[in-house]
C-alpha cells in the first residue's frame, strides 16, 4: 500500500478532521484497548497513526514506563503527530514513516493496535500477517474498524441518511472496505491469528446535542467532496456544504436521534 492509495489523503484539513473525530471516538477506542489488556509498561506499535490520536491514547494507557511507536505512510502525518506528542510532553511516544509490514524494529512489541487502517489496505489479511511478525509470542493484536451500514436516524433525518450513503459509496469507490468491521473475525483468522473477541459500539445523540455526531459526517464530506464529484456520486450544489450542518440539525429537531456508523473492535493474542 502506498501513501497515494489512502482514500482520504493527508492534507492539513484532513489531519485536523482526524483530531476532531478523535474527541468523539477516542472513548470507544479506549474501551476496546482496555478490554484487550493494554496496560501500564507495555510497548505498543500503532499502525496508520495519522495525526497521532491513537498513539497518544495508548501513551496514556501504558504510562511513563511504557513505549509507543506510531507508523504512517505520509510524512505530513508523521510530522504532525511528532509535534503533538512533543507538545504533550510524551517523550516515550515516537513515530516512523513507512509501511509497518516492511519496517524493522529493534525488539518485538507487546501489542499492535490500529484504528480505521485495515479498511484501506488492498489485502488486509496479508498485511496483518506480515505486521504481526513484530509482535512477541502471546502479544495482543487490537484493531478498531467500521461498518457504515450501522449509520441511521430515528425518526428519519433524510439529509443525514443521504449523507451517510454518499460517504459510504465514495469511500468504497475510492478503494476502501466500508463494512470491514463486521469481517474482522474472519480477517484475523485469515491472517493466521486465533478467533478474536469482538465488540460493537456506536456514537448516538439526540436533539441539539447531536451536533458533534453531525460534524463526524459533515467534516468528512468536506474532505471527500472533490472525490464525490469526480466519481459522479453527488454535485457540490446538491450538498451545499455551508448549510449542511444546520439542515441536518433542523431535521433532527428536539426528539430525533442520530446513530453513527458501527464502531467494531477486535482483539486476540498471538500464539505462543
Amino acid at each position: 500500500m502506498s501513501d497515494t492509495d489512502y482514500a482520504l489523503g493527508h492534507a492539513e484539513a484532513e489531519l485536523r478532521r482526524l483530531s476532531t473525530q478523535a474527541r468523539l471516538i477516542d472513548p470507544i477506542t479506549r474501551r476496546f484497548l482496555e478490554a484487550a489488556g493494554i496496560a501500564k509498561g507495555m510497548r505498543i506499535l500503532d499502525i496508520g497513526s495519522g495525526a497521532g490520536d491513537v498513539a497518544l491514547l495508548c501513551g496514556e494507557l501504558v504510562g511513563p514506563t511504557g513505549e509507543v511507536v506510531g507508523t504512517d505512510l505520509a510524512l505530513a502525518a508523521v510530522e504532525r503527530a511528532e509535534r503533538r506528542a512533543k507538545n504533550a510532553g510524551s517523550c516515550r511516544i515516537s513515530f516512523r514513516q513507512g509501511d509497518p509490514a516492511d519496517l524493522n524494529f529493534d525488539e518485538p512489541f507487546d501489542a499492535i493496535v490500529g484504528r480505521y487502517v485495515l479498511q484501506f489496505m488492498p489485502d488486509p489479511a496479508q498485511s496483518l500477517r506480515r505486521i504481526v511478525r513484530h509482535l512477541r509470542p502471546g502479544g495482543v493484536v487490537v484493531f478498531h474498524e467500521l461498518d457504515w451500514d450501522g449509520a441511521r436516524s430515528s425518526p428519519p433525518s433524510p439529509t443525514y441518511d443521504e449523507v451517510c450513503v454518499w460517504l459510504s459509496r465514495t469511500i468504497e469507490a475510492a478503494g476502501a472496505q466500508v463494512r470491514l468491521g463486521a469481517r474482522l473475525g474472519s480477517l484475523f483468522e485469515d491472517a493466521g491469528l486465533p478467533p478474536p473477541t469482538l465488540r460493537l459500539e456506536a456514537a448516538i445523540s439526540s436533539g441539539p446535542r447531536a451536533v458533534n455526531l453531525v460534524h463526524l459526517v459533515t467534516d468528512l464530506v468536506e474532505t471527500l467532496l472533490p472525490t464525490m464529484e469526480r466519481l459522479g456520486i453527488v454535485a457540490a450544489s446538491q450538498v451545499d456544504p455551508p448549510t449542511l450542518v444546520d439542515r441536518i440539525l433542523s431535521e433532527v429537531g428536539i426528539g430525533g436521534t442520530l446513530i453513527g456508523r458501527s464502531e467494531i473492535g477486535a482483539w486476540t493474542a498471538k500464539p505462543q
Side-chain angles (χ1 to χ4, degrees):
M1 177 180 176
S2 69
D3 179 23
T4 55
D5 293 329
Y6 179 54
L8 303 181
H10 293 92
E12 183 67 19
E14 169 59 11
L15 295 176
R16 287 196 302 270
R17 184 197 69 81
L18 290 175
S19 294
T20 300
Q21 171 182 260
R23 289 195 289 271
L24 189 62
I25 302 301
D26 274 2
I28 297 175
T29 305
R30 178 186 287 270
R31 287 189 285 273
F32 293 159
L33 294 172
E34 290 178 335
I38 304 302
K40 301 291 184 186
M42 294 179 73
R43 186 167 187 263
I44 310 292
L45 176 62
D46 176 33
I47 306 302
S49 294
D53 296 289
V54 173
L56 290 168
L57 177 56
C58 287
E60 294 177 15
L61 295 177
V62 303
T65 60
E67 181 185 5
V68 181
V69 178
T71 65
D72 201 280
L73 296 170
L75 179 59
V78 168
E79 290 176 342
R80 183 179 180 89
E82 287 175 335
R83 290 195 301 270
R84 295 183 67 202
K86 181 179 179 180
N87 291 339
S90 303
C91 61
R92 298 285 288 171
I93 302 177
S94 61
F95 297 90
R96 289 182 59 180
Q97 182 188 8
D99 186 337
D102 298 326
L103 293 172
N104 291 308
F105 301 93
D106 294 336
E107 55 183 300
F109 292 88
D110 299 307
I112 292 175
V113 309
R115 179 170 72 191
Y116 307 160
V117 59
L118 295 176
Q119 63 182 314
F120 295 107
M121 295 179 175
D123 188 340
Q126 181 186 48
S127 295
L128 184 56
R129 183 185 294 271
R130 295 175 62 202
I131 291 167
V132 166
R133 69 185 174 86
H134 300 307
L135 191 65
R136 66 167 175 79
V140 179
V141 182
V142 194
F143 279 89
H144 175 173
E145 297 288 339
L146 296 174
D147 185 334
W148 272 93
D149 282 350
R152 60 194 187 279
S153 58
S154 179
S157 164
T159 303
Y160 176 80
D161 293 342
E162 189 172 41
V163 166
C164 290
V165 171
W166 292 339
L167 290 171
S168 178
R169 288 179 58 198
T170 303
I171 295 168
E172 189 167 44
Q177 301 184 54
V178 294
R179 300 170 189 84
L180 185 67
R183 294 185 46 245
L184 282 174
S186 60
L187 190 156
F188 273 45
E189 294 187 65
D190 289 346
L193 293 166
T197 298
L198 297 168
R199 181 174 295 176
L200 184 152
E201 294 196 27
I204 180 170
S205 299
S206 63
R209 298 186 65 180
V211 63
N212 290 332
L213 185 48
V214 172
H215 275 287
L216 188 64
V217 296
T218 59
D219 289 355
L220 191 51
V221 167
E222 182 179 353
T223 291
L224 287 175
L225 187 55
T227 305
M228 289 178 173
E229 291 196 285
R230 177 173 57 81
L231 294 172
I233 290 171
V234 67
S237 58
Q238 184 179 353
V239 177
D240 192 13
T243 69
L244 190 56
V245 171
D246 289 339
R247 280 158 42 214
I248 295 175
L249 289 174
S250 177
E251 291 175 0
V252 172
I254 301 299
T257 298
L258 300 183
I259 303 170
R261 65 271 169 112
S262 297
E263 310 282 341
I264 300 176
W267 56 89
T268 192
K270 182 178 180 179
Q272 296 279 0

